[in-house]
Amino acid sequence: MELDRLDRDIIAALVDDARATYAEVGQLVGLSASAVKRRVDRLRESGAITGFSARVAPEALGWTTEAYVELFCQGKTKPSDIALAVAKFPEVVGAATITGEADALLHIRATDVRHVERVIERIAAETFVVRTKSAIVLSRLVDAPSGVVRNETRLIG
Amino acid sequence: MELDRLDRDIIAALVDDARATYAEVGQLVGLSASAVKRRVDRLRESGAITGFSARVAPEALGWTTEAYVELFCQGKTKPSDIALAVAKFPEVVGAATITGEADALLHIRATDVRHVERVIERIAAETFVVRTKSAIVLSRLVDAPSGVVRNETRLIG
DNA sequence: TATGAAAGAACCTGGCC
DNA sequence: GGCCAGGTTCTTTCATA
């Protein structure tokens, strides 16, 4: 699907504030409220916008620790095997197969370092996992809303 | 600030759908619409909810490639130095200082591999950067909304 | 301190041009 | 894409426990 500048501006506005009214978004991008609604409906149908989420401060919910874990797997492990295995752990908030020595990289959120350790232990117990290599996050410097490149479009005003 | 089960259920409902009406959230958690609104207002003021974002399919916007880049820095590089430097690049959607050999781990979104290369080149040109080690993402397996642990609370119904 | 009910204002939604 | 009308939702106030 083809996205024009208006679509991109609307998306940027909704990434910034998903509860903005159609009229507010319209004023930012230069459209009427109903025109914005039509485009948003279309963007959702086409899958460009996949939904709307509250952004949460993880610490406020007790998730004060995060870690990245590299997974080294057996020769013929499929990405879907890894996906299925890690999806069982709510603590795994991100996962991807990657190039390089490791086969996959996991992003984990936990309540403390002990909790991280327990999760890694259980993941390492999966049959296809040969070994893991983990790094605890010391301080987070950047955290963009998932799926989004920051400041992608410059809004007028 | 203290969060009870009702607050956590409300947060879970809004992470799932930030545009749900207060009445809808209320029905999930067992409160009236106005009670839900009061709690949401309080959660925003207290900082537990930091905002509301549209979830976007990066590919729909042309961001088809992602990479993780380890940064090895000079001895007395401060986290704030790294933060300032990488914040200049909209392609850096995540960054954190970490334990282990590397000093920081960056998460990059770009239009293609050439684009990733250009960004890494410019980051490597920062005075404090000694070297980098990067891994291109082959396929994404898990991607939770930022800051959130999946399925944190079990909603009734 | 927190809740539910109610009322006016604001907003959404769909039809029409 | 804009305009408009009817239905829904938000927001605030009030009374209650």
Side-chain angles (χ1 to χ4, degrees):
Chain A
M1 180 198 168
E2 189 73 3
L3 299 187
D4 63 14
R5 163 144 292 274
L6 246 21
D7 290 321
R8 289 170 182 275
D9 285 352
I10 289 170
I11 289 172
L14 290 177
V15 166
D16 185 58
D17 179 10
R19 298 202 76 150
T21 66
Y22 292 124
E24 285 168 344
V25 175
Q27 217 157 21
L28 283 174
V29 306
L31 280 181
S32 69
S34 47
V36 171
K37 182 193 186 300
R38 275 192 292 263
R39 277 174 180 262
V40 171
D41 287 344
R42 193 161 51 82
L43 289 167
R44 299 192 65 171
E45 278 184 59
S46 74
I49 294 177
T50 58
F52 301 95
S53 272
R55 285 194 302 267
V56 169
E59 320 81 39
L61 293 170
W63 306 104
T64 55
T65 308
E66 40 181 335
Y68 287 92
V69 179
E70 288 178 302
L71 244 49
F72 299 80
C73 303
Q74 286 177 352
K76 30 178 141 186
T77 308
K78 292 175 294 181
S80 58
D81 295 336
I82 304 175
L84 246 89
V86 301
K88 290 183 295 193
F89 301 93
E91 294 92 347
V92 176
V93 296
T97 54
I98 55 174
T99 62
E101 297 156 61
D103 296 295
L105 181 62
L106 311 184
H107 181 197
I108 289 177
R109 282 198 191 272
T111 53
D112 53 40
V113 178
R114 283 283 299 130
H115 187 181
V116 171
E117 191 179 30
R118 282 201 307 277
V119 174
I120 294 175
E121 219 172 76
R122 294 178 58 195
I123 292 172
E126 295 286 334
T127 53
F128 61 80
V129 176
V130 175
R131 69 182 181 95
T132 66
K133 181 182 176 187
S134 36
I136 298 279
V137 167
L138 297 173
S139 66
R140 179 142 294 274
L141 310 175
V142 175
D143 193 9
S146 110
V148 174
V149 171
R150 294 168 300 125
N151 306 327
E152 183 175 9
T153 58
R154 233 349 80 231
L155 292 179
I156 42 182
Chain B
M1 180 199 169
E2 189 75 2
L3 299 187
D4 62 14
R5 162 143 293 274
L6 246 21
D7 290 321
R8 291 171 180 273
D9 285 353
I10 289 170
I11 289 172
L14 290 177
V15 166
D16 185 58
D17 179 10
R19 300 202 76 153
T21 66
Y22 292 123
E24 285 168 345
V25 175
Q27 218 156 20
L28 283 175
V29 306
L31 279 181
S32 70
S34 48
V36 171
K37 181 192 187 305
R38 271 190 296 265
R39 279 173 179 262
V40 172
D41 288 345
R42 194 161 50 84
L43 289 168
R44 297 192 65 170
E45 278 184 59
S46 74
I49 293 177
T50 59
F52 302 94
S53 274
R55 285 193 303 267
V56 169
E59 321 81 40
L61 293 169
W63 307 104
T64 55
T65 310
E66 41 180 334
Y68 287 92
V69 179
E70 287 178 303
L71 244 47
F72 300 79
C73 304
Q74 286 175 355
K76 31 178 140 184
T77 307
K78 291 176 295 184
S80 57
D81 296 336
I82 305 176
L84 246 88
V86 301
K88 291 184 295 193
F89 301 94
E91 293 92 345
V92 176
V93 297
T97 54
I98 55 174
T99 61
E101 297 156 61
D103 297 295
L105 180 62
L106 312 184
H107 181 196
I108 290 178
R109 282 197 191 271
T111 54
D112 52 41
V113 177
R114 282 285 296 133
H115 187 182
V116 171
E117 192 179 29
R118 282 200 306 277
V119 173
I120 294 174
E121 219 172 76
R122 294 178 59 196
I123 291 172
E126 296 285 335
T127 55
F128 61 80
V129 175
V130 175
R131 69 183 181 94
T132 65
K133 180 180 176 187
S134 37
I136 299 280
V137 167
L138 297 173
S139 66
R140 179 143 294 277
L141 310 174
V142 175
D143 193 9
S146 109
V148 174
V149 171
R150 294 168 299 126
N151 307 328
E152 182 174 9
T153 58
R154 224 16 56 236
L155 292 179
I156 42 183

